[in-house]
Amino acid sequence: MAFAKKAAQVLGVIANGSFKSSRFAGRSVDSRSFTSLAHGVHVFHCPDEVGIVAKLSDCIASRGGNILGADVFVPENENVFYSRSEFIFDPIKWPRGQMDEDFLKLSKTFNAMRSVVRVPILDSKYKIAVFASKQDHCLVDLLHGWQDGRLPVEITCVISNHGRGLNTHVIRFLERHGIPYHYLWTTKENKREEEMLELVQNTDFLVLARYMQVLSGNFLRGYGKDIINIHHGLLPSFKGGNPSKQAFDAGVKLIGATSHFVTEELDAGPIIEQMVERVSHRDNLHSFVQKSENLEKQCLLKAIKSYCELRVLPYEKNKTVVF
């Protein structure tokens, strides 16, 4: 079996390492050596064949790098391979440009559909724009997560179809940090999408922090990059508007929040993260909403963080691999 052969090859390539449940660890490194080393992450998606893990390991080791951990996923009965590797290296011995060339060569060798490498201390942070409507809880939590350093992104602007007063918490926060706020009043006839596209053209991905407008197919195609949304319900159940009331009326015992990629089909994009909380007959609609909002904040932040850490890969038509 291809996967078993890969595991055997890895054991031969990585001295003193172990391979357990599709995850292997690199050699232990003297903590004193970390001061001059940089941390890198590489993700790989290609057709499955024997030797991929060995070649990935050799690519890093041949430049003096050391794998700290790696995840591998080979779906049963499918000829496809996914991996995510974390490694440390000396930027002097392995310059950033050379690293790109090495992984590009590997990508061509295996006809990879995706090969991405990031070095957080050397690479620019992901640039994002945040879309929001009237409700603030997801937006505020995202802003504070960014301020605290929990989100490795640069927020270029906040776009909203809801006006906010100059003395509101959100506006004061944005002004204090020099983040533009764009209020674009929308109607059914005019969604202001051309203006939005101009505002977000230099971003790497978008975040919908409870933005209660449906983005058109023209917008999605015009933007052409990933958009992450938070839905206040446990998809695929309770799609559309007012999912908390839908769940309450259905008498559910678990409520949830779902972060997913945006597609033309409403609330049907590939799921990145889901969180749940137990409810009971003692809960009313108000407590349903409160619990849901708390889940939404956590779920959205975790999805963004996972995306920035290269943990999310497309899988089949409408799924994701999340390492």
Side-chain angles (χ1 to χ4, degrees):
M1 183 178 177
F3 186 72
K5 292 179 181 178
K6 289 188 186 71
Q9 289 172 310
V10 171
L11 290 174
V13 172
I14 306 176
N16 302 322
S18 63
F19 196 102
K20 299 178 181 179
S21 301
S22 303
R23 176 175 292 190
F24 61 89
R27 297 182 298 273
S28 61
V29 180
D30 189 329
S31 61
R32 292 172 295 180
S33 68
F34 276 88
T35 54
S36 61
L37 301 179
H39 178 268
V41 180
H42 176 255
V43 293
F44 206 54
H45 175 201
C46 67
D48 187 32
E49 64 177 88
V50 174
I52 302 173
V53 176
K55 288 291 186 181
L56 280 168
S57 302
D58 185 61
C59 177
I60 295 169
S62 65
R63 297 293 183 179
N66 185 68
I67 295 176
L68 299 179
D71 283 308
V72 172
F73 174 56
V74 180
E76 187 176 0
N77 300 321
E78 292 188 40
N79 184 43
V80 64
F81 173 94
Y82 297 87
S83 73
R84 179 183 183 273
S85 307
E86 294 191 26
F87 57 94
I88 52 173
F89 68 100
D90 186 337
I92 296 176
K93 296 180 180 178
W94 197 8
R96 187 67 182 84
Q98 182 64 55
M99 180 182 292
D100 282 337
E101 291 181 18
D102 291 345
F103 281 118
L104 178 60
K105 182 179 179 181
L106 199 68
S107 176
K108 291 179 178 178
T109 299
F110 291 105
N111 297 312
M113 289 79 89
R114 178 169 300 198
S115 177
V116 182
V117 61
R118 281 189 65 80
V119 181
I121 66 169
L122 299 179
D123 296 348
S124 299
K125 292 182 178 179
Y126 285 114
K127 293 183 179 181
I128 70 169
V130 183
F131 285 57
S133 290
K134 184 176 182 179
Q135 291 180 297
D136 281 346
H137 59 284
C138 284
L139 174 60
V140 170
D141 193 67
L142 188 157
L143 293 174
H144 285 293
W146 166 80
Q147 182 185 40
D148 296 341
R150 289 178 286 139
L151 290 180
V153 299
E154 176 186 338
I155 302 175
T156 63
C157 67
V158 173
I159 298 172
S160 180
N161 63 326
H162 177 73
R164 286 176 168 84
L166 295 176
N167 202 36
T168 59
H169 173 70
V170 169
I171 297 300
R172 292 200 310 270
F173 182 98
L174 296 177
E175 288 182 344
R176 187 162 62 249
H177 293 280
I179 301 172
Y181 182 83
H182 302 285
Y183 167 44
L184 298 179
W185 171 255
T186 61
T187 64
K188 288 184 178 180
E189 294 74 26
N190 185 6
K191 298 285 184 149
R192 311 285 291 275
E193 290 188 341
E194 290 186 4
E195 296 167 72
M196 292 176 186
L197 284 173
E198 290 182 8
L199 293 171
V200 303
Q201 60 181 338
N202 294 320
T203 58
D204 296 301
F205 67 97
L206 304 180
V207 175
L208 308 187
R210 288 299 300 274
Y211 184 64
M212 306 308 289
Q213 299 290 313
V214 178
L215 297 174
S216 71
N218 287 335
F219 180 92
L220 300 183
R221 289 186 291 273
Y223 182 61
K225 303 171 192 175
D226 289 329
I227 304 175
I228 297 175
N229 181 50
I230 183 67
H231 179 74
H232 44 307
L234 194 60
L235 294 175
S237 299
F238 312 125
K239 294 182 180 181
N242 212 345
S244 293
K245 187 174 187 308
Q246 292 182 52
F248 178 74
D249 291 342
V252 302
K253 303 307 178 189
L254 287 172
I255 59 168
T258 303
S259 189
H260 64 94
F261 289 115
V262 176
T263 60
E264 290 193 46
E265 186 178 353
L266 181 64
D267 295 333
I271 293 172
I272 304 169
E273 182 61 57
Q274 289 184 299
M275 293 184 178
V276 298
E277 183 171 339
R278 183 163 293 280
V279 291
S280 76
H281 58 277
R282 299 185 185 279
D283 282 284
N284 55 34
L285 182 56
H286 180 69
S287 64
F288 260 56
V289 171
Q290 284 185 316
K291 290 179 179 181
S292 176
E293 289 182 353
N294 188 49
L295 291 172
E296 293 159 33
K297 295 185 292 185
Q298 298 176 63
C299 189
L300 180 59
L301 251 65
K302 187 172 182 181
I304 297 170
K305 193 169 185 292
S306 294
Y307 185 90
C308 292
E309 293 176 350
L310 301 184
R311 297 184 182 277
V312 185
L313 290 168
Y315 172 43
E316 294 185 339
K317 182 179 179 181
N318 202 42
K319 298 180 182 179
T320 57
V321 171
V322 182
F323 284 121

